[in-house]
Amino acid sequence: MAASKPATTNQHKMSRMMQEEQRWGRLFVAAPFVGFCIFSAFPIVFAFVASLSNWTGTNSIFANFCGFANYAELLTSARYWKTMGTTIIYMIGIPIGMVLGLVIAVAMNRKIPGVKVLRTMYYVPVVSSLVAVAILWAWVFNYDFGLLNIIIQAITGKHGPNWLGDEFWVKVAMIIFMVWKGLGSSIILYLSGLQNIPRDYYEAATIDGANGWQAFRNITIPLVSPVTFYLLITGIIGGFQVFVEVTVMVSNGGTNYSAATVVYYLWDTAFSHQRMGYGSAMAFILAIIIFIVTAINFKGQDRWVKTID
């Protein structure tokens, strides 16, 4: 009996230590959990409730409950589908940016003089203020005295298009700007992917008689596919959220609302026309679309995303 007392005492001590560790563990977990509830969960629930009402931001949500009327109106709105189409058109810049990023990264993945300076220069737009560079590019695209039209007139002898005033050319201008703004990130990420590919693969391909294009197609492209997948996912998510570019570079969504995106329409409806409930419904539809597109991409990644064994 005497021999069992120390063991029992040790068990009680271990039990108290475990309880103390659990209390501290709960304390550390509580802070981010409370933050999530306050800053994420509650706003999501509140926004969903607001989307079921004619809330204007100043009246009562529950006194103006309208059910799914906002969603029904949204899905039959011609302006909503127009802005959705414009948003998707802007995403043409995603594959263009990825192709350019990969090509430039391959060119800069070599020991050439000044390559570090070039890498820095390409990355400067990424860390620059989006508002500042959008204002700069608005001047570049200016119809009367913009740099781009001056160059076009000097080369062709004809005046360039109305980049930000024409319904077609404003989309081209936005795509050019977005590709330029995100090119640095694509280059840096592709460079990291290229530098992780073992040189043995290229040496073996050369011995087998493969030329440069064959090595690029069969080695480089498959082995940087994880980077391509990441850029595709983040590009699509960011593409659905384009707002600052439209707000800064054109006024009132462009001619006949031709430059407006879904998020711009959301902001314009909710804050300019005080239709917070309708804007909340639009935000939830957009979130569902982004979730579905992202889930489809993750589901199909095993078919084309390769990893280095």
Side-chain angles (χ1 to χ4, degrees):
M1 295 293 292
S4 63
K5 289 182 179 180
T8 304
T9 303
N10 290 334
Q11 289 177 356
H12 285 304
K13 288 182 179 180
M14 290 295 295
S15 178
R16 286 196 298 269
M17 290 176 62
M18 292 178 63
Q19 291 176 0
E20 187 70 17
E21 288 182 358
Q22 290 178 356
R23 280 195 293 268
W24 279 104
R26 294 191 189 100
L27 182 63
F28 281 111
V29 171
F33 178 75
V34 171
F36 169 79
C37 291
I38 296 175
F39 298 106
S40 296
F42 174 73
I44 291 172
V45 174
F46 181 85
F48 179 71
V49 175
S51 71
L52 303 177
S53 71
N54 292 318
W55 184 47
T56 63
T58 57
N59 61 354
S60 171
I61 293 178
F62 299 102
N64 294 274
F65 187 78
C66 65
F68 290 94
N70 285 328
Y71 291 92
E73 179 184 351
L74 178 66
L75 295 177
T76 57
S77 170
R79 175 158 285 193
Y80 170 76
W81 290 112
K82 182 177 182 178
T83 56
M84 178 62 74
T86 301
T87 303
I88 294 173
I89 290 173
Y90 287 162
M91 292 187 192
I92 294 173
I94 296 173
I96 295 174
M98 289 193 297
V99 171
L100 288 176
L102 179 56
V103 171
I104 297 173
V106 170
M108 291 199 298
N109 191 32
R110 302 183 180 188
K111 295 180 180 180
I112 57 177
V115 67
K116 292 183 179 180
V117 176
L118 288 174
R119 292 174 184 175
T120 303
M121 290 175 60
Y122 274 107
Y123 198 71
V124 167
V126 178
V127 297
S128 301
S129 167
L130 180 56
V131 174
V133 294
I135 294 173
L136 177 64
W137 274 87
W139 283 97
V140 171
F141 287 125
N142 186 275
Y143 176 71
D144 295 314
F145 44 82
L147 178 62
L148 189 55
N149 277 353
I150 291 174
I151 295 173
I152 292 174
Q153 189 166 14
I155 295 174
T156 65
K158 298 180 180 179
H159 201 289
N162 188 0
W163 292 98
L164 300 179
D166 183 83
E167 294 187 30
F168 170 78
W169 288 108
V170 70
K171 295 179 176 64
V172 177
M174 289 293 177
I175 291 172
I176 292 173
F177 171 70
M178 292 175 194
V179 169
W180 173 85
K181 183 72 173 75
L183 191 58
S185 294
S186 300
I187 293 171
I188 293 299
L189 290 171
Y190 273 127
L191 268 173
S192 65
L194 290 170
Q195 291 172 0
N196 285 328
I197 299 176
R199 300 304 305 174
D200 298 344
Y201 290 9
Y202 295 103
E203 292 172 1
T206 302
I207 294 172
D208 290 339
N211 56 33
W213 166 247
Q214 290 172 331
F216 178 76
R217 184 184 63 186
N218 297 306
I219 298 175
T220 303
I221 292 178
L223 294 184
V224 297
S225 58
V227 177
T228 303
F229 176 73
Y230 172 80
L231 290 173
L232 178 64
I233 292 295
T234 55
I236 291 174
I237 294 173
F240 276 113
Q241 299 175 344
V242 171
F243 170 72
V244 176
E245 298 89 331
V246 178
T247 307
V248 174
M249 296 179 68
V250 298
S251 58
N252 300 320
T255 305
N256 295 326
Y257 229 57
S258 56
T261 60
V262 172
V263 175
Y264 180 88
Y265 180 43
L266 189 161
W267 168 82
D268 188 30
T269 303
F271 293 95
S272 298
H273 299 87
Q274 286 76 49
R275 298 192 64 188
M276 295 290 183
Y278 187 74
S280 298
M282 200 182 309
F284 264 89
I285 293 293
L286 181 61
I288 292 171
I289 292 173
I290 293 174
F291 175 81
I292 292 174
V293 173
T294 304
I296 291 173
N297 278 285
F298 271 99
K299 185 69 175 178
Q301 67 171 318
D302 293 337
R303 298 181 180 180
W304 62 277
V305 178
K306 310 297 181 182
T307 57
I308 300 174
D309 297 329

